Amino acid sequence: MRYSTPLSYNPIDVARITEVLNRYEGIHHNQIVTDFESAIGKVTGSIHAVALNSGTAAIHLALKVLGIGVGDYVLAPSFTYIATINPILYLGAHPVLIDSETTTWNMDPHLVEEALEVLKKEGKRPKAMVVVHTYGMPSQLNQLLAIARKEGISVVEDAAESLGSTYQRKMVGTFGDVGIFSFNNNKVVTTYGGGILLTERPELAEKARFLATQSRENLPYYHHSEVGYNYAMGPLNAAQGLSQLIDLQDNVTKRRLIFERYRIKLEGYVHGQQCELPDMYSNRWFSCFLFKDEATKGKIANVLGSRGIETRPLWNPMHRQPLLINARYFGSREAELLFNRGLCLPSGHNLTEDKIDEIVQVITQ
Ligand SMILES: Cc1ncc(COP(=O)(O)O)c(C=O)c1O
């Protein structure tokens, strides 16, 4: 079904992309990708950036360059999109799924500690932790990073949804050993398909770039000693990214205002939302709310849908997925409560105040 009010939609701005492309006439197209990498590096304060063709590819390479392989254990939230977990499976590693805390809905640091203790008793030591800032809301990074440091665990930040979010005034995606963003169609900045890998460590960036381009060695002929991937970002995608990146803060401000308008107008009708703790600033990629119960949530989704207004249920937790039936899970089913009672409401930065008010009216009638 095509919705007249989609969840989050970036219309193509032909004039803007054309303007960017015109600037590169006569210049090798690889320069567009390099410039996009520099622009993201500048915006995020990151030293090395490798532009790729999806956020999923970026997570795959992030784990790979950190040495994750067959049989390794990787901690990750249960309350996330499958693209956080699939790359762990690509590598033959075992995801260890951690439940959410109730404030940010991200991975609960206490449960991470509990999981590590239990696994230690079994002689198992996770090698990496994937930290997700879900719906743009920063995770409790101080606590998670302290645990990782103490235990010698590598950290991948899956910041796919959170370009423009900050923690202690620093862009999320720049705290882990490697961070990634997605630029798929519904993001705050889109390339209409794409991702990027960020790191401060030159050797990791170099290795990721090598793997992303079929692991072709630097010789005058084709020479390959290890499996590679075709993961590099294309120049047209990078041009689109450059054309929209200047709007980043504007788009974040608009999304935060959308969330605030819903929050204020839905007071009394909703039973919870993601909250920023001190030092957190969310890009509010999606405005998500909990309703009284599952039936109320379903009814609201149906009525809005019948009016052409798209909603999405919150993530169906990973520990409930048939694919992950054998994965370890630590928690008390908070993520299940979020799934049962929560909805993402239209959140695109182009959403008008009138449309928000119409959505609120449908919910509260
Ligand atoms: C949390 C999370 N991780 C990873 C991804 C994967 O990004 P992509 O769609 O660019 O592969 C997404 C995509 O939206 C996501 O939401």
Side-chain angles (χ1 to χ4, degrees):
M1 175 177 177
R2 268 255 184 89
Y3 292 97
S4 52
T5 305
L7 202 63
S8 176
Y9 174 63
N10 279 295
I12 295 176
D13 188 332
V14 176
R16 277 239 208 143
I17 306 172
T18 309
E19 195 222 311
V20 172
L21 289 172
N22 281 339
R23 293 208 300 265
Y24 288 90
E25 204 167 349
I27 299 171
H28 195 287
H29 59 252
N30 283 351
Q31 191 59 46
I32 311 179
V33 181
T34 306
D35 288 352
F36 181 61
E37 289 172 341
S38 305
I40 291 289
K42 208 161 150 197
V43 161
T44 58
S46 197
I47 298 180
H48 303 284
V50 182
L52 301 165
N53 56 19
S54 73
T56 311
I59 298 169
H60 184 192
L61 293 189
L63 291 167
K64 199 157 168 70
V65 299
L66 288 167
I68 306 308
V70 177
D72 289 333
Y73 289 87
V74 178
L75 300 156
S78 183
F79 188 67
T80 187
Y81 181 51
I82 189 70
T84 305
I85 306 298
N86 268 334
I88 301 171
L89 303 179
Y90 299 165
L91 293 164
H94 305 297
V96 177
L97 302 169
I98 308 292
D99 206 353
S100 300
E101 38 87 357
T102 54
T103 309
T104 70
W105 300 356
N106 288 310
M107 193 154 64
D108 184 336
H110 297 295
L111 291 173
V112 171
E113 280 178 323
E114 188 186 310
L116 286 169
E117 226 165 87
V118 171
L119 292 172
K120 208 176 271 176
K121 284 187 188 137
E122 296 172 12
K124 294 169 186 149
R125 189 180 155 273
K127 253 195 178 169
M129 176 194 291
V130 185
V131 176
V132 180
H133 310 296
T134 204
Y135 302 123
M137 178 61 70
S139 281
Q140 295 189 24
L141 275 164
N142 264 358
Q143 289 88 328
L144 294 169
L145 292 172
I147 297 167
R149 223 172 288 123
K150 186 168 137 246
E151 300 289 333
I153 296 171
S154 300
V155 175
V156 172
E157 258 186 290
D158 176 353
E161 304 160 357
S162 47
L163 186 64
S165 301
T166 64
Y167 184 78
Q168 294 176 340
R169 296 178 175 271
K170 188 174 180 286
M171 287 278 181
V172 302
T174 63
F175 287 84
D177 295 279
V178 184
I180 75 98
F181 292 109
S182 163
F183 302 107
N184 78 13
N185 303 348
N186 61 28
K187 294 296 183 284
V188 175
V189 168
T190 185
T191 60
Y192 298 112
I196 206 158
L197 179 151
L198 305 175
T199 180
E200 302 295 293
R201 291 163 61 183
E203 76 283 5
L204 298 185
E206 197 184 321
K207 181 79 184 184
R209 202 179 287 288
F210 170 75
L211 290 167
T213 48
Q214 306 284 19
S215 299
R216 184 180 172 187
E217 284 173 32
N218 192 15
L219 288 164
Y221 46 89
Y222 292 102
H223 190 83
H224 307 270
S225 327
E226 60 180 299
V227 172
Y229 306 87
N230 184 9
Y231 277 175
M233 179 179 278
L236 295 179
N237 301 95
Q240 158 60 28
L242 282 171
S243 81
Q244 209 193 13
L245 197 53
I246 44 170
D247 294 336
L248 172 62
Q249 190 50 55
D250 234 31
N251 292 350
V252 169
T253 304
K254 284 179 188 156
R255 287 191 190 238
R256 286 178 64 86
L257 288 172
I258 289 166
F259 171 79
E260 268 311 292
R261 196 171 182 92
Y262 279 130
R263 191 187 64 76
I264 291 164
K265 298 207 162 209
L266 286 173
E267 223 173 314
Y269 290 91
V270 296
H271 290 248
Q273 65 263 325
Q274 288 177 291
C275 295
E276 287 164 336
L277 288 166
D279 288 332
M280 289 181 183
Y281 175 87
S282 168
N283 69 1
R284 295 288 180 187
W285 172 55
F286 278 1
S287 291
C288 306
F289 296 95
L290 302 182
F291 294 93
K292 192 169 82 180
D293 50 35
E294 200 171 348
T296 309
K297 175 202 82 169
K299 209 171 99 199
I300 289 168
N302 285 340
V303 182
L304 288 171
S306 71
R307 299 197 180 198
I309 298 165
E310 184 181 17
T311 60
R312 291 251 180 99
L314 301 189
W315 307 127
N316 186 8
M318 292 299 113
H319 69 269
R320 287 172 42 125
Q321 306 293 340
L323 174 69
L324 295 161
I325 201 82
N326 295 320
R328 299 291 292 269
Y329 162 73
F330 292 87
S332 51
R333 315 215 171 266
E334 177 64 25
E336 270 159 66
L337 182 148
L338 298 175
F339 168 64
N340 289 338
R341 291 173 42 196
L343 275 185
C344 306
L345 300 178
S347 310
H349 40 260
N350 307 308
L351 201 67
T352 62
E353 289 188 350
D354 284 351
K355 189 50 86 174
I356 298 170
D357 294 349
E358 182 193 325
I359 293 166
V360 167
Q361 209 219 333
V362 174
I363 294 173
T364 56
Q365 74 195 354

